[in-house]
Amino acid sequence: MAERSDTEEVKLLGMWASPFSRRIEVALTLKGVPYEFSEQDITNKSSLLLQLNPVYKMIPVLVHNGKPISESLVILEYIDDTWRNNPILPQDPCERATARFLAKLIDQQICVAAMKVVGKVGEERDAAVEATRDLLMFLEKELVGKDFFGGRSLGFVDIVATLVAFWLMRTEDLLGVKVVPVELFPEIHRWVKNLLGNDVIKKCIPPKDEHLAYIRARMDKLNLKSA
Amino acid sequence: MPHRSNVNASTCQNITFFSHTFTLTHPSVLDLKEIMPSGEVKLIGAWASPFVMRPRVALNLKSVPYEFLQETFGSKSELLLKSNPVHKKIPVLLHADKPVCESNIIVEYIDETWSSSGPSILPSHPYDRAMARFWAAYIDEKWFVALRNFLKAEGEEEKKAVVAQMEEGNALLEKAFIDCSKGKPFFNGDNIGYLDISLGSFLAWLRVTELAASHKLLDEAKTPSLCKWAELFCNDPAVKPVMPETAKLAEFAKKIFAKPQA
C-alpha cells in the first residue's frame, strides 16, 4: 500500500496517445498512487501547460502538491524516490546505471531512429530500419534469460521501452515494414507477450484500434506513406 | 601530452567484460554484494573533455583513488571500444572491471556506490533531485548544443542567433540557480553537487570560446549569481586539480578545430 497523506494531490498533464505520458501512468499505477489525469491538446497548448512547463512546453507534467516536474525520465525517478513501494529502479548501483543507460538509449537514439523510419522513404528508410535494428540488438541481448528488463517484474527499462512495444511495433502494421521481425528479435517478442499479460500494462496502454486510427490519421496529415 | 597507460591482457580479458554490459543482473565471477565498495577504479577519458571532468570531480569528492587511462585524441583504444560498444565514447568508469557509461550516469553511480564517503552529490529531497536531473538534462541537450553551435557559427547573422539562444539559456540557468541554491553558494547548497558538476564542467570551454570570439558569454550584469558561482566552483578543491587550464585548452582547441572536416 503506498504511503501517502490524505492531503497529497497528484495531477498528470498528459495525452492519451503519447508514449511519454503513458509511461508515467504505468509508474503511478504500479505504485498504487491515485492521480487526476488532465488530457491536453498538444496542438493548442493550454495556459496551464505553458505555465507548468515553460522550458519545453510539453507533456507529460506531473504536479505533486502544487509542484510541477517535467521530462518523463525525471518524473519516473521522482515517482520512485517519493513512493518507495514496488521499486521501479533496481537496488544495486551498477544495475541502476545500466537501467538509466538503456532508458537514455531508448529515448535519445532508438526513438529518433524509429521516427526516421516513419519519416523517410526508399533507401533512406532502409538505412533508418538498419540503424534502428542495430540499436534494438542491445535491448534484445539484455532480455536473455529474463521475463522483463527488470527481471521477474516490471522495472524502469520496461516502462520506458513500452515505446518500442506499443508505438514502434504497433506502427509496423501501418508502415508495411517489419522493423522488429521475430526472427531477429525473439527475446523482444517474448517480452512483449509478457507485457501483454501484465495487468498494469493492460490498463495503461492506449487501446489498439483507436491508437492505430490516431497514428494513421497523423501520418495522413503529415503526408506520410501508410500501408 | 595525453598518454595511454599500460593495460595488460588480463584487464581486457575477453568477453566477461563485454557481456557485463548486457547481463549485469546475472551472477558474475565478481561478487558485487559487498558492504564496502571495493575493486579497482579506472576511468577512461581525456583531460580536455568536459564530460570526463564530471566523474573526476565526483571521485575527488568521495576521495576515491583511480587510475586515469587517457585516450589519444583521434583514436579509440580497444579497451574503450570493448567497454562502451554502444557509443564508443569517453568517459567510461571501470569499477572492478565492470563498465559504467555516460557522464551523468557515472556521477550518480559514484554517489550511490560510495554513499558513506564524502558529501552527497545528489540532493536528498526527491523534488530537489528532480530539479537537479531536469536542469542537468537541459544543460546537455539545449545549453551545450547552443555553445557548440556558437563555436561552429559562421557569419554575423548566425552568430547573433546563437548568442540570443545562449543568453536565453543563461537566463534560465540564473533563475534555476536562485531556485536550487536557496541562498547558498552552490546549486546543491553548501557543497558542490550533481548540477554544479554538470554545468561547471563546461566552464573551461566556455572561457576558451569567450576568448576566441572576444565575446563574453557569461555576463556579470545579466547573470550575476552564475558568475559568482562559477568562480567558487573553479576554486573548489575537488575541481581545481581536474579543471583544464584555459591557455592549454585554447591551444588544444586551435589544434582540433584547425583539422579539416571530413
Side-chain angles (χ1 to χ4, degrees), chain B residues 6-253:
Chain B
N6 271 340
V7 179
N8 60 32
S10 66
T11 314
C12 299
Q13 190 78 224
N14 81 65
I15 345 294
T16 21
F17 208 168
F18 187 86
S19 69
H20 280 152
T21 312
F22 307 115
T23 58
L24 284 169
T25 52
H26 283 193
S28 79
V29 174
L30 307 158
D31 179 11
L32 284 178
K33 306 229 183 277
E34 295 164 348
I35 298 159
M36 289 306 289
S38 66
E40 251 188 343
V41 181
K42 298 177 188 174
L43 184 71
I44 309 175
W47 67 274
S49 161
F51 303 101
V52 171
M53 192 178 143
R54 291 170 177 173
R56 295 184 81 189
V57 175
L59 289 165
N60 287 350
L61 280 169
K62 299 289 189 179
S63 306
V64 175
Y66 64 98
E67 189 186 350
F68 189 41
L69 303 175
Q70 292 225 57
E71 291 285 304
T72 310
F73 180 75
S75 72
K76 294 181 196 229
S77 69
E78 207 185 302
L79 181 64
L80 173 61
L81 297 175
K82 270 192 181 152
S83 310
N84 190 356
V86 179
H87 301 302
K88 307 173 175 56
K89 281 184 178 171
I90 50 168
V92 179
L93 185 82
L94 293 166
H95 185 198
D97 292 330
K98 284 194 158 197
V100 183
C101 306
E102 298 288 294
S103 62
N104 284 338
I105 293 175
I106 299 172
V107 171
E108 286 217 54
Y109 174 83
I110 291 167
D111 197 31
E112 289 168 4
T113 303
W114 288 277
S115 53
S116 50
S117 174
S120 272
I121 297 177
L122 269 286
S124 49
H125 192 278
Y127 187 74
D128 296 333
R129 291 159 75 85
M131 290 305 102
R133 290 182 177 127
F134 175 86
W135 287 112
Y138 172 82
I139 285 161
D140 279 1
E141 288 157 35
K142 303 283 174 196
W143 187 87
F144 171 63
V145 172
L147 178 63
R148 229 179 36 205
N149 288 343
F150 181 80
L151 279 165
K152 292 195 269 179
E154 282 169 28
E156 282 312 304
E157 281 306 308
E158 210 185 322
K159 277 206 166 93
K160 242 178 161 179
V162 187
V163 167
Q165 238 187 330
M166 283 224 75
E167 289 189 345
E168 201 186 305
N170 288 347
L172 283 174
L173 292 176
E174 174 81 2
K175 181 168 190 298
F177 177 81
I178 293 164
D179 292 341
C180 295
S181 64
K182 303 181 183 90
K184 302 264 172 97
F186 299 107
F187 283 95
N188 201 42
D190 289 313
N191 302 300
I192 65 169
Y194 183 79
L195 189 49
D196 301 277
I197 294 171
S198 157
L199 183 59
S201 58
F202 287 119
L203 287 171
W205 275 100
L206 190 72
R207 269 199 225 109
V208 165
T209 310
E210 285 177 335
L211 285 172
S214 305
H215 182 108
K216 253 219 169 282
L217 291 168
L218 210 61
D219 194 317
E220 275 106 10
K222 295 182 181 155
T223 54
S225 308
L226 281 183
C227 289
K228 194 171 172 199
W229 161 83
E231 207 184 314
L232 287 172
F233 180 82
C234 292
N235 285 313
D236 189 280
V239 172
K240 244 178 160 166
V242 298
M243 174 76 86
E245 280 169 26
T246 311
K248 189 179 174 192
L249 193 63
E251 267 310 302
F252 177 76

Side-chain angles (χ1 to χ4, degrees), chain A residues 136-148:
Chain A
L136 285 169
M137 268 305 160
F138 294 107
L139 297 186
E140 175 75 8
K141 285 172 181 164
E142 184 63 26
L143 282 169
V144 170
K146 289 152 83 170
D147 292 338
F148 299 100

